[in-house]
């Protein structure tokens, strides 16, 4: 009897339907790869970056996907370190999302570097005084940790399990996974934080500059905190989207409610800390350098108006946090996932302003106009590339691997 290619006890669509589902993602991927090689061959003149915007949409997307990929390290922390059992029903999916996010982040960095073949310079000629060196080391090593966490999931495929060596390898790797989860938490804390620390130590950019604890500006801790708070919500939202697309129940509702409760309280404490940080910056840090709060918001309201601060802290911060910490909010699926989407948008806004608004604000007395940046089509399509790649990888993983232990039970 032939061993099935799919996880035992579950149903999957036919091969033709599956190929049709993947076709649009493959087309986007092909166009994006063409743009990517065009950028690598001709150089960064294929983009709309300039002297003002040496960091642009790629770096924003890079920071955003790294933060959203934080669901992998925090879910691993909850499942393997704290021992929250329900989280194990979604941990495999969180790991796949983490792999997608972190491989995408490294790809985007390879684009922005402009000469990816020299990427190894970061490790061989390391600038020990740069936070970005620590980010590069931790990102690369943590991606390795995620791949190690993903290997036993791959080995759970029925046909691979028929090979005795792989069967025992998967079992043994599951037994020691707590070690890798702890390593991932350690590495994630530092690279998430250092990504926030980079704008925080820019003395010449008053919009981003923050005081802090010894060498760490407060943005160091806020970046880690926000990733841990919103990452699990991103995982839950993507899982819910997978349920909608497949028409199947993949995890029990108590998994969603648990993640929402934990993330809700973390989001509330984060947004309070973020608010205090903003108030101190607006009343102490910026005035000490000759600026007022509205100097950073009033000159270009269409792009960088005060609305962006209100959206980040109130609409996409306090509002979803207050919904998620209440039992009624968590029990109502529309409210729960509406709040989760708002929180995800809020995190993306935060990364946006810490990259683009930092560079847009005029700093010299003779500069009145803000710098405005519009990405070229090559930048846009290569930024969408991780989405297409993510759809393909997640679809393949869902089709052939047991990502959701509760799927068989919930879909008899």
């Amino acid at each position: 009897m032939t061993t099935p290619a799919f996880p035992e006890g579950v149903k999957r669509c036919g091969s033709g339907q599956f190929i049709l589902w993947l076709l649009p993602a493959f087309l986007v991927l092909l166009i994006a790869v063409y743009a990517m090689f065009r950028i690598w061959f001709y150089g960064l003149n294929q983009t709309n970056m300039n002297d003002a915007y040496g960091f642009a949409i790629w770096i924003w997307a890079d920071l955003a996907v790294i933060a959203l990929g934080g669901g992998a390290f925090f879910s691993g922390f909850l499942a393997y370190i704290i021992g929250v059992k329900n989280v194990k029903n979604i941990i495999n999916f969180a790991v796949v999302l983490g792999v997608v996010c972190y491989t995408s982040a490294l790809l985007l960095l390879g684009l922005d570097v402009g000469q990816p073949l020299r990427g190894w310079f970061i490790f061989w000629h390391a600038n020990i005084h740069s936070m970005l060196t620590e980010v590069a080391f931790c990102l690369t090593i943590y991606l390795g940790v995620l791949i190690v966490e993903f290997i036993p999931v791959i080995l759970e495929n029925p046909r691979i399990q028929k090979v005795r060596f792989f069967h025992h390898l998967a079992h043994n790797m599951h037994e020691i996974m707590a070690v890798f989860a702890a390593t991932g938490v350690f590495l994630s804390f530092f690279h998430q934080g250092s990504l926030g620390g980079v704008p925080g130590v820019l003395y010449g950019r008053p919009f981003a500059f923050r005081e802090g604890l010894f060498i760490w500006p407060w943005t160091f801790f806020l970046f880690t905190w926000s990733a841990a708070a919103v990452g699990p919500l991103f995982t839950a939202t993507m899982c819910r989207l997978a349920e909608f697309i497949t028409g199947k129940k993949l995890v029990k509702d108590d998994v969603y409610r648990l993640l929402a409760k934990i993330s809700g309280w973390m989001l509330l404490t984060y947004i309070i800390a973020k608010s205090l940080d903003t108030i101190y910056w607006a009343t102490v840090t910026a005035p000490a350098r000759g600026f007022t709060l509205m100097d950073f918001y009033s000159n270009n309201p269409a792009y960088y108006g005060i609305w962006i601060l209100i959206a980040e802290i109130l609409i996409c911060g306090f509002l979803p946090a207050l919904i998620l910490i209440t039992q009624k909010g968590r029990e109502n699926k529309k409210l729960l996932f509406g709040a989760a989407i708002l929180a995800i948008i809020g995190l993306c806004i935060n990364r946006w302003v810490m990259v683009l608004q930092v560079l847009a604000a005029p700093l010299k007395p003779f500069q009145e106009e803000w710098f405005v940046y519009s990405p070229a089509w090559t930048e846009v399509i290569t930024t969408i590339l991780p989405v297409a790649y993510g759809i393909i990888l997640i679809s393949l993983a869902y089709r052939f691997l047991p990502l959701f232990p509760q799927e068989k039970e919930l879909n008899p």
Side-chain angles (χ1 to χ4, degrees):
M1 182 177 177
T2 304
T3 304
F6 309 138
E8 184 181 355
V10 300
K11 295 179 181 178
R12 296 291 183 261
C13 65
S15 298
Q17 187 178 354
F18 184 65
I19 291 171
L20 284 175
W21 157 253
L22 292 181
L23 188 59
F26 268 112
L27 291 175
V28 173
L29 191 66
L30 286 174
I31 299 170
V33 169
Y34 165 74
M36 180 175 68
F37 280 101
R38 188 179 176 87
I39 291 166
W40 282 342
F41 185 79
Y42 292 107
L44 295 179
N45 62 0
Q46 298 297 302
T47 73
N48 283 347
M49 291 191 292
N50 50 46
D51 291 342
Y53 284 98
F55 283 167
I57 190 172
W58 287 327
I59 297 301
W60 163 72
D62 190 77
L63 295 182
V65 298
I66 288 173
L68 296 174
F73 90 82
F74 195 67
S75 298
F77 172 74
L78 292 173
Y80 295 110
I81 309 303
I82 303 299
V84 182
K85 293 182 179 179
N86 276 358
V87 177
K88 290 189 176 181
N89 293 314
I90 203 172
I91 188 65
N92 290 344
F93 185 65
V95 168
V96 175
L97 282 180
V99 171
V100 170
C101 289
Y102 277 82
T103 50
S104 299
L106 290 175
L107 175 63
L108 292 169
L109 284 175
L111 282 166
D112 208 22
V113 166
Q115 291 184 322
L117 293 179
R118 296 187 181 183
W120 60 274
F121 278 33
I122 296 172
F123 306 98
W124 192 253
H125 304 289
N127 178 3
I128 61 172
H129 302 291
S130 172
M131 285 188 178
L132 289 177
T133 299
E134 182 268 327
V135 169
F137 273 81
C138 284
L139 270 177
T140 309
I141 298 170
Y142 182 55
L143 177 58
V145 170
L146 278 173
I147 291 172
V148 170
E149 290 183 300
F150 190 28
I151 287 173
V153 182
I154 296 174
L155 297 180
E156 291 291 337
N157 177 271
R159 290 187 179 176
I160 297 177
Q161 279 284 295
K162 293 289 288 183
V163 181
R164 188 174 180 180
F165 170 78
F166 292 135
H167 174 80
H168 290 297
L169 179 61
H171 174 76
N172 291 328
M173 289 187 74
H174 278 301
E175 292 294 319
I176 61 170
M177 205 47 62
V179 175
F180 291 99
T183 305
V185 171
F186 175 80
L187 293 169
S188 292
F189 174 83
F190 282 101
H191 76 245
Q192 296 280 3
S194 290
L195 286 170
V198 169
V201 297
L202 296 178
Y203 296 96
R205 297 287 178 177
F207 180 82
F209 175 68
R210 298 291 193 276
E211 288 86 2
L213 180 66
F214 297 109
I215 63 171
W216 295 294
W218 296 125
T219 47
F220 181 101
F221 304 99
L222 291 173
F223 263 50
T224 303
W225 205 336
S226 59
V230 180
L233 292 176
F234 177 70
T235 302
T237 303
M238 291 300 99
C239 184
R240 180 61 182 155
L241 180 61
E243 288 185 331
F244 175 78
I245 292 170
T246 61
K248 297 180 180 180
K249 187 74 175 169
L250 301 177
V251 297
K252 292 182 179 178
D253 289 341
D254 59 355
V255 177
Y256 292 134
R257 289 195 290 266
L258 176 63
L259 288 178
K261 183 177 182 179
I262 295 170
S263 288
W265 283 106
M266 289 195 66
L267 181 61
L268 180 62
T269 53
Y270 158 73
I271 208 64
I272 291 172
K274 170 66 180 175
S275 300
L276 294 174
D277 167 76
T278 303
I279 291 169
Y280 183 86
W281 164 76
T283 57
V284 178
T285 306
R289 283 153 181 79
F291 293 90
T292 66
L293 172 66
M294 293 310 295
D295 286 335
F296 296 101
Y297 292 98
S298 60
N299 291 336
N300 199 317
Y303 283 88
Y304 302 110
I306 193 68
W307 63 268
I308 202 166
L309 182 64
I310 296 171
E312 178 189 353
I313 292 181
L314 296 180
I315 300 174
C316 298
F318 279 107
L319 178 59
L322 293 175
I323 292 173
L324 294 174
I325 63 172
T326 62
Q327 186 173 349
K328 287 185 178 180
R330 294 191 300 271
E331 288 178 350
N332 185 315
K333 278 190 177 181
K334 291 182 179 179
L335 279 178
L336 189 158
F337 288 104
I341 291 170
L342 283 177
I344 292 167
I345 294 172
L347 182 141
C348 292
I349 291 175
N350 175 260
R351 296 328 191 239
W352 176 271
V353 299
M354 295 305 281
V355 172
L356 295 178
Q357 192 157 348
V358 167
L359 301 175
L363 301 177
K364 298 176 182 178
F366 56 83
Q367 290 178 330
E368 295 183 1
E369 296 296 324
W370 283 48
F371 296 104
V372 178
Y373 158 77
S374 299
W377 76 269
T378 51
E379 296 171 82
V380 174
I381 194 67
T382 47
T383 302
I384 296 173
L385 187 154
V387 178
Y389 151 67
I391 290 172
I392 293 168
L393 181 59
I394 293 169
S395 298
L396 289 170
Y398 171 73
R399 186 170 178 82
F400 296 108
L401 305 177
L403 294 186
F404 303 101
Q406 296 178 319
E407 181 183 1
K408 182 179 177 181
E409 173 190 351
L410 295 172
N411 301 277

